[in-house]
Amino acid sequence: MTNDSRRVLVVDDEPQIVRGLKVILREAGYAVETATTKQEALDAVSVRPPEAVVLDLVLPDGSGVDVASEIRAWSQLPILVLSAVGDEREKVRALDAGADDYATKPFGKEELLARLRAVLRRAAEDESEPAISVGNLVLDIPGHRVTRGGEEIHLTPIEFDLLRTLALHRGKLVTHKQILRAVWGPAYETETHYLRVHFAHLRAKIEPDPSHPRYIVTDPGVGYRLRDEVEAQP
């Protein structure tokens, strides 16, 4: 599918931001529709779902977090959040509510387009694939095996579950809360110290140089991301 057939809904009430996004997205070949409120956004998505939503967190009649949460109740439509500096808590809430990724205002054109391409690409992928490759790292989910360059890496069950959680959303930022819920369960959603310890052990096993991670990157205060295959190539 080419960009020309992909419609992007921009949800933002700042005229300058909307104008800038229209120019960037249209030049990249996307068709652009706009909404300035939470209600307009939800109406637009329900009547004629776009291929992706670029969503501001602060809207006149509500929060982008609410928009993301309501969309996720019935759709896996890709959602890219725009957050201003200082929106850290809201950004994390939006990701926990189901947003796929975020860009921080002011954003660079190339970064924005790269993140949009990534969320669209991931939406088209089948996450049930039995083996997931990232560079020369291969995760065999049914076999509970991990290899790098053909050599098997022995992981503990928790380390494997952490890597599997990121691999199923590779390229996507997964928040601390999402990881803790997936690996340990809802009762452990605030135990972020678990992650620091276990990710340090996991990196020591899978990274050629743990001090310069090639596969697992950290977004401080937010979560972790397993690079996608293109990014992980040397």
Side-chain angles (χ1 to χ4, degrees), residues 5-229:
S5 61
R6 287 182 161 176
R7 292 180 301 106
V8 176
L9 176 66
V10 172
V11 185
D12 200 306
D13 68 331
E14 296 183 48
Q16 280 187 308
I17 296 291
V18 173
R19 282 195 297 270
L21 286 169
K22 279 183 177 179
V23 170
I24 291 171
L25 294 172
R26 285 173 177 168
E27 285 181 350
Y30 297 98
V32 182
E33 298 174 1
T34 62
T36 59
T37 67
K38 170 188 170 182
Q39 194 56 54
E40 284 181 9
L42 294 174
D43 288 345
V45 169
S46 62
V47 172
R48 189 171 179 237
E51 275 64 50
V53 175
V54 177
L55 175 65
D56 187 29
L57 285 178
V58 181
L59 300 170
D61 58 341
S63 166
V65 174
D66 298 330
V67 175
S69 180
E70 292 194 35
I71 290 174
R72 277 293 169 267
W74 59 275
S75 171
Q76 291 304 307
L77 177 70
I79 301 172
L80 177 63
V81 163
L82 296 182
S83 68
V85 175
D87 282 345
E88 189 79 7
R89 289 185 180 179
E90 286 297 288
K91 178 174 67 180
V92 173
R93 286 185 62 220
L95 291 166
D96 282 334
D100 294 282
D101 204 350
Y102 72 93
T104 302
K105 297 179 182 178
F107 47 81
K109 171 184 174 181
E110 295 306 321
E111 179 190 2
L112 179 75
L113 291 175
R115 292 191 182 281
L116 180 59
R117 287 193 300 270
V119 298
L120 285 165
R121 181 180 66 248
R122 290 194 297 270
E125 292 175 348
D126 179 7
E127 292 189 344
S128 65
E129 60 188 305
I132 296 174
S133 299
V134 183
N136 65 354
L137 188 73
V138 179
L139 177 66
D140 174 4
I141 293 179
H144 275 67
R145 294 177 68 248
V146 177
T147 60
R148 190 184 69 208
E151 182 178 346
E152 186 165 357
I153 299 172
H154 296 283
L155 301 181
T156 67
I158 285 179
E159 290 163 357
F160 184 86
D161 285 345
L162 289 172
L163 186 58
R164 178 180 59 188
T165 299
L166 297 188
L168 290 174
H169 305 281
R170 64 192 180 282
K172 175 182 174 179
L173 179 66
V174 187
T175 67
H176 296 153
K177 183 177 179 180
Q178 290 170 325
I179 297 169
L180 288 163
R181 188 166 53 216
V183 176
W184 282 278
Y188 293 84
E189 289 180 354
T190 61
E191 306 293 339
T192 55
H193 61 282
Y194 282 24
L195 300 179
R196 289 191 294 273
V197 173
H198 288 288
F199 270 111
H201 293 162
L202 177 58
R203 279 189 171 126
K205 293 181 179 181
I206 70 170
E207 298 284 1
D209 180 1
S211 63
H212 296 87
R214 178 184 177 191
Y215 299 108
I216 298 175
V217 293
T218 304
D219 192 315
V222 181
Y224 296 85
R225 184 195 309 264
L226 183 69
R227 296 182 191 272
D228 66 26
E229 187 161 0

